[in-house]
Amino acid sequence: MFPQNRFRRLRRSPELRRMVRETSLQASDFIAPLFVVHGTQVQEEISSMPGQHRYSVDLLVEHCRELETLGVGGVILFGIPEHKDATGSEGYDDNGIVQQAVRAIKAACPHLVVVADICMCEYTDHGHCGIIHGHEVLNDETLHYLSLQALSFARAGVDMVAPSDMMDGRIAAMRTALDEAGYSHLPIMSYAAKFSSAFYGPFREAADSAPSFGDRRAYQMDPANGREALREIESDIAEGADIVMVKPALAYLDVIKEATLRYDVPMAAYQVSGEYAMIKAAALNGWIDEERIMMESLLSIRRAGAKMILTYFAADAARLLQHKQA
């Protein structure tokens, strides 16, 4: 009881605060989302995500070298194809843009973990995450094409695949396809609880992946449903997911926390484009301290239990951590 218990005693100096700090961040916790396009010497700034760019493969490799030097744990690739069609064929073309990028990055940065996002929205002419019939996204028919993507990325030499489509049964289908093709060693990081969120807006500009009709609420999760998110995570673990992810991060810290308490598998969280854009916009207007907000938001995700954080702040946060350690 007060005055014997004085919590401020351990807050008196930076040294004491550092000694008792419960949660820490390191650059290896971060996975940087990257957008890759066809061409050479292409670096296009994404207007709604200041500081983020679409890169051609040659410049993407240079950026990956910098990320590796900073100690960032890995990258996850999103491709913008030259051609879109009903089945998203460039997504499973062995010479597709992501496949080209995987080969180039692994040749230049063999120790950087390269993850390929698996979905169809960037590659289809309708912008939905699966095969459509009329205005309905078909679940079971989509699994075949997602598995084709996984196999193509595996042949390219990716370190991990990350399905983000939210079709039922896709982890089991992908795991079976990879195992039968001799890729039983390849891990799957599942977007297990991906919510139908308004925080994705800037990403859809970056990846040119907005749906041409309707929305994705029939397959992405209702933001109101926390218990259902845990059922999704449990199902994906049972189907063979090695890592499970919650997306977005900040609005769903409760789901991250509950999942880490329930399930003994590595947990990832995606600090999505809208989260990044809001911090950037407020900072550019002089309303907040960008560095402090960036690190506080990342710490909150880590404190909730996420071991890996997919974040557009990966490079900036890694530089700051490196500077503090110097």
Side-chain angles (χ1 to χ4, degrees):
M1 300 293 292
F2 180 82
Q4 287 78 16
N5 289 345
R6 291 180 178 265
F7 295 102
R8 290 181 57 188
R9 290 180 187 132
L10 298 179
R11 301 172 189 160
R12 284 180 55 81
S13 69
E15 293 77 18
L16 281 171
R17 290 194 296 272
R18 214 166 29 241
M19 186 176 291
V20 299
R21 188 163 292 148
E22 298 173 16
T23 307
S24 62
L25 285 171
Q26 51 191 3
S28 59
D29 297 334
F30 305 142
I31 299 173
L34 301 176
F35 301 95
V36 57
V37 298
H38 288 274
T40 57
Q41 294 296 299
V42 177
Q43 182 175 325
E44 304 168 341
E45 185 164 34
I46 300 164
S47 63
S48 57
M49 299 173 67
Q52 298 300 306
H53 301 82
R54 301 180 196 90
Y55 295 99
S56 54
V57 171
D58 53 335
L59 297 188
L60 186 75
V61 168
E62 291 182 17
H63 186 50
C64 286
R65 286 195 177 104
E66 179 188 12
L67 292 170
E68 187 175 44
T69 300
L70 289 168
V72 170
V75 298
I76 183 166
L77 302 180
F78 300 90
I80 294 88
E82 282 185 322
H83 166 74
K84 299 190 178 193
D85 56 33
T87 64
S89 60
E90 188 170 323
Y92 51 88
D93 182 340
D94 284 352
N95 199 39
I97 189 60
V98 169
Q99 289 84 341
Q100 293 178 40
V102 170
R103 290 190 290 268
I105 295 168
K106 292 307 295 182
C109 309
H111 302 296
L112 183 67
V113 173
V114 178
V115 185
D117 176 85
I118 293 182
C119 198
M120 295 176 67
C121 60
E122 302 111 291
Y123 304 103
T124 54
D125 51 13
H126 48 75
H128 276 284
C129 301
I131 300 298
I132 62 169
H133 179 70
H135 280 188
E136 183 180 357
V137 178
L138 304 177
N139 190 95
D140 295 7
E141 290 81 354
T142 298
L143 303 185
H144 170 68
Y145 292 96
L146 298 172
S147 296
L148 290 179
Q149 279 192 32
L151 290 169
S152 183
F153 295 143
R155 289 190 292 268
V158 78
D159 295 299
M160 183 155 48
V161 294
S164 61
D165 53 281
M166 288 302 286
M167 298 297 119
D168 292 332
R170 86 261 205 225
I171 303 302
M174 225 168 284
R175 185 73 272 161
T176 299
L178 288 167
D179 290 357
E180 289 179 350
Y183 297 104
S184 58
H185 62 281
L186 193 70
I188 296 175
M189 177 168 65
S190 170
Y191 290 65
K194 180 178 179 180
F195 290 85
S196 181
S197 172
F199 283 98
Y200 302 150
F203 176 93
R204 290 175 183 171
E205 178 208 339
D208 188 25
S209 63
S212 61
F213 63 87
D215 55 39
R216 297 179 177 138
R217 297 183 196 187
Y219 43 101
Q220 293 178 359
M221 284 195 59
D222 187 333
N225 293 357
R227 289 194 299 272
E228 184 189 3
L230 298 176
R231 291 174 57 206
E232 284 273 15
I233 291 167
E234 186 170 348
S235 176
D236 282 6
I237 294 169
E239 289 182 26
D242 301 282
I243 300 169
V244 290
M245 186 199 305
V246 174
K247 179 185 179 183
L250 286 178
Y252 301 91
L253 293 176
D254 59 322
V255 176
I256 298 169
K257 186 66 174 182
E258 186 63 30
T260 58
L261 293 173
R262 287 197 186 200
Y263 308 115
D264 190 22
V265 297
M267 175 66 59
Y270 199 146
Q271 187 184 46
V272 298
S273 60
E275 298 172 57
Y276 173 87
M278 288 192 302
I279 293 171
K280 279 288 186 180
L284 288 169
N285 277 286
W287 298 335
I288 61 171
D289 181 326
E290 181 179 335
E291 284 190 356
R292 289 190 65 188
I293 294 287
M294 171 181 72
M295 298 309 285
E296 188 176 339
S297 65
L298 292 168
L299 268 172
S300 74
I301 299 165
R302 189 78 176 82
R303 191 182 64 246
K307 172 57 183 166
M308 289 148 278
I309 305 173
L310 287 74
T311 176
Y312 300 96
F313 285 118
D316 290 342
R319 286 190 198 98
L320 186 59
L321 290 169
Q322 197 174 75
H323 175 72
K324 288 183 175 180
Q325 292 167 0

